[in-house]
């Protein structure tokens, strides 16, 4: 051990290393002196300061955030600003609900009041030189709510040859708290912007609901499921042609009596389709004003989940017959 200590001592206190250690000592001393001088200078710095609404009565529902943020520029010595920056002094500014709430379901805290609340946390030499915004507003009601459906918002596009066959929500509706006027105008709430592309399997997304001023939603976050299916060109044969707006005692007979409907849909949807899911019609009002021997036929109804729907023919031969009573 003595030999090791001797080797270390000789290395550290050799002439070259001794000069290097002296250099390090004075470098550290000058750095400390420079830091002390710097922290003793006066500066301005902007701080994001949270302001919380406290002492909310039990019968009151705050329909805005309980904590909002103001940006204040504070002037003081660097060492004081450092304590604000890295300490907890400016992280707990509180505003009493009853002091700032009004009878119209909202409350406001002016810039002057915000400064007064903040000065209670600051050192004596600190000065607030700027504040943004010029006031904070909060909203509340006394429990009035409404159950509202949710819908997704954004751009969700699966891979080519796939499409979204079904969208499901968990939950499919939320409780909305707001003023009576706003509750009357809200029938659907939407998610924040969703952006997903190039997927083929079921996509499950945790989505926050888009915030609205003065509106609280419970829950604020939902799950959305996008179920995909593989696109296919298909057709359904044997869809009957029906006459509409027929006068009493008359019947329409067409040749052919049934047509084929072509469309694009998902494989799973196609497996459940029947001719009865489609309605093809010919309008008597159009026939009686036409001199043509053929009549136009129209697709009046088709099931959801299909696209590019069209008939294999657009005109058919027809006869108007008198109904026979049995």
């Amino acid at each position: 051990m003595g030999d090791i200590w001797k080797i270390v001592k000789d290395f550290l206190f050799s002439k070259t290393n001794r000069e290097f250690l002296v250099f390090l000592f004075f470098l550290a001393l000058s750095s400390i002196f420079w830091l002390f001088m710097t922290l003793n200078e006066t500066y301005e710095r902007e701080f994001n300061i949270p302001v919380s609404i406290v002492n909310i009565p039990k019968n009151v529902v705050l329909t805005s955030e309980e904590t909002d943020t103001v940006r204040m520029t504070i002037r003081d010595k660097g060492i004081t600003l450092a304590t604000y920056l890295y300490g907890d002094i400016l992280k707990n500014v509180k505003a009493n609900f009853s002091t700032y709430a009004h009878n119209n379901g909202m409350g406001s805290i002016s810039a002057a009041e915000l400064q007064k609340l903040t000065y209670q946390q600051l050192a004596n030499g600190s000065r607030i030189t700027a504040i943004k915004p010029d006031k904070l507003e909060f909203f509340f009601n006394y429990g009035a709510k409404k159950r509202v459906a949710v819908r997704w918002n954004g751009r969700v596009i699966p891979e080519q040859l796939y499409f979204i066959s079904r969208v499901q929500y968990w939950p499919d509706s939320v409780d909305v708290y707001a003023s009576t006027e706003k509750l009357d105008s809200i029938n659907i709430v939407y998610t924040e912007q969703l952006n997903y592309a190039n997927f083929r399997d079921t996509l499950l997304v945790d989505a926050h609901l888009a915030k609205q001023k003065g509106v609280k939603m419970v829950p604020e976050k939902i799950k959305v499921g996008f179920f995909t299916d593989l696109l296919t060109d298909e057709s359904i044969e044997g869809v009957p042609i029906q006459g509409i707006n027929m006068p009493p005692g008359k019947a329409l007979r067409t040749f052919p009596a049934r047509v084929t409907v072509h469309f694009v849909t998902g494989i799973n949807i196609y497996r459940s389709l029947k001719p009865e899911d489609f309605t093809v019609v010919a309008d008597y009002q159009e026939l009686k004003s036409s001199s043509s021997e053929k009549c136009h036929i129209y697709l009046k109804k088709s099931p959801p989940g299909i696209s590019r729907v069209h008939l294999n023919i657009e005109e058919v031969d027809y006869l108007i017959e008198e109904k026979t009573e049995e």
Side-chain angles (χ1 to χ4, degrees):
M1 180 65 70
D3 291 339
I4 295 175
W5 169 245
K6 184 175 183 304
I7 293 172
V8 172
K9 184 176 67 173
D10 291 343
F11 173 76
L12 290 177
F13 293 99
S14 64
K15 181 178 180 182
T16 302
N17 289 329
R18 186 166 58 249
E19 292 176 353
F20 180 69
L21 289 175
V22 171
F23 168 77
L24 288 180
F25 171 77
F26 283 104
L27 177 63
L29 187 64
S30 62
S31 298
I32 294 172
F33 180 74
W34 173 83
L35 180 62
F36 177 78
M37 293 295 294
T38 300
L39 292 177
N40 203 42
E41 294 289 332
T42 299
Y43 300 94
E44 286 190 354
R45 182 182 176 90
E46 185 177 82
F47 293 86
N48 292 325
I49 303 176
V51 180
S52 301
I53 308 299
V54 297
N55 298 325
I56 303 170
K58 292 182 178 180
N59 64 332
V60 169
V61 177
L62 208 63
T63 58
S64 55
E65 298 292 337
E66 291 187 12
T67 302
D68 207 340
T69 302
V70 294
R71 302 194 308 275
M72 290 189 184
T73 302
I74 300 175
R75 180 180 177 84
D76 206 334
K77 292 185 180 298
I79 190 169
T80 305
L81 296 181
T83 62
Y84 297 157
L85 183 62
Y86 299 108
D88 296 330
I89 296 176
L90 294 181
K91 295 182 179 179
N92 195 25
V93 176
K94 298 179 180 180
N96 192 58
F97 174 86
S98 60
T99 304
Y100 303 102
H102 309 311
N103 294 327
N104 59 352
M106 67 169 292
S108 62
I109 312 173
S110 66
E113 291 293 331
L114 288 169
Q115 290 191 49
K116 186 186 299 183
L117 292 170
T118 307
Y119 269 129
Q120 296 174 8
Q121 313 282 347
L122 299 180
N124 290 334
S126 298
R127 289 293 176 266
I128 299 172
T129 59
I131 180 170
K132 297 176 183 178
D134 57 0
K135 68 176 178 179
L136 288 184
E137 292 182 334
F138 59 92
F139 299 85
F140 62 93
N141 70 13
Y142 294 94
K145 66 178 181 178
K146 180 180 180 180
R147 194 74 177 174
V148 174
V150 297
R151 293 290 183 270
W152 69 278
N153 178 40
R155 181 178 176 271
V156 180
I157 303 175
E159 282 186 10
Q160 192 175 9
L161 301 181
Y162 285 81
F163 79 112
I164 298 171
S165 61
R166 180 167 59 94
V167 180
Q168 189 170 343
Y169 304 89
W170 298 274
D172 60 2
S173 56
V174 296
D175 289 325
V176 175
Y177 294 83
S179 64
T180 303
E181 294 77 10
K182 284 194 174 183
L183 286 178
D184 290 341
S185 65
I186 298 175
N187 296 310
I188 294 176
V189 292
Y190 292 92
T191 66
E192 292 181 338
Q193 192 86 359
L194 303 180
N195 290 288
Y196 296 91
N198 299 323
F199 61 95
R200 63 171 62 180
D201 298 322
T202 298
L203 175 66
L204 299 177
V205 178
D206 291 320
H208 289 276
L209 297 176
K211 294 182 179 180
Q212 302 180 46
K213 187 175 182 180
V215 177
K216 180 178 182 179
M217 290 163 279
V218 180
E220 297 180 341
K221 187 178 181 182
I222 65 169
K223 184 184 291 290
V224 187
F226 298 93
F227 297 84
T228 58
D229 201 353
L230 183 62
L231 283 172
T232 178
D233 285 304
E234 297 294 348
S235 61
I236 292 285
E237 298 179 351
V239 178
I241 301 173
Q242 304 174 23
I244 60 172
N245 298 319
M246 300 298 296
K250 292 187 181 295
L252 174 68
R253 179 179 293 186
T254 63
F255 308 93
R258 296 175 182 271
V259 292
T260 299
V261 181
H262 298 276
F263 51 86
V264 174
T265 189
I267 292 177
N268 293 327
I269 294 177
Y270 172 69
R271 289 169 180 163
S272 65
L273 294 178
K274 306 180 295 296
E276 294 77 19
D277 296 324
F278 300 84
T279 301
V280 177
V281 301
D283 191 346
Y284 177 79
Q285 297 295 332
E286 183 178 322
L287 297 178
K288 72 178 184 178
S289 61
S290 173
S291 59
S292 174
E293 295 180 354
K294 293 182 177 290
C295 69
H296 284 278
I297 56 176
Y298 305 94
L299 182 69
K300 186 177 181 181
K301 187 191 77 171
S302 60
I306 67 175
S307 61
R308 305 178 198 170
V309 190
H310 62 278
L311 303 174
N312 65 322
I313 54 176
E314 296 182 351
E315 292 183 329
V316 294
D317 296 318
Y318 72 96
L319 286 176
I320 303 296
E321 299 180 331
E322 298 289 337
K323 287 183 178 179
T324 58
E325 296 184 3
E326 298 180 356

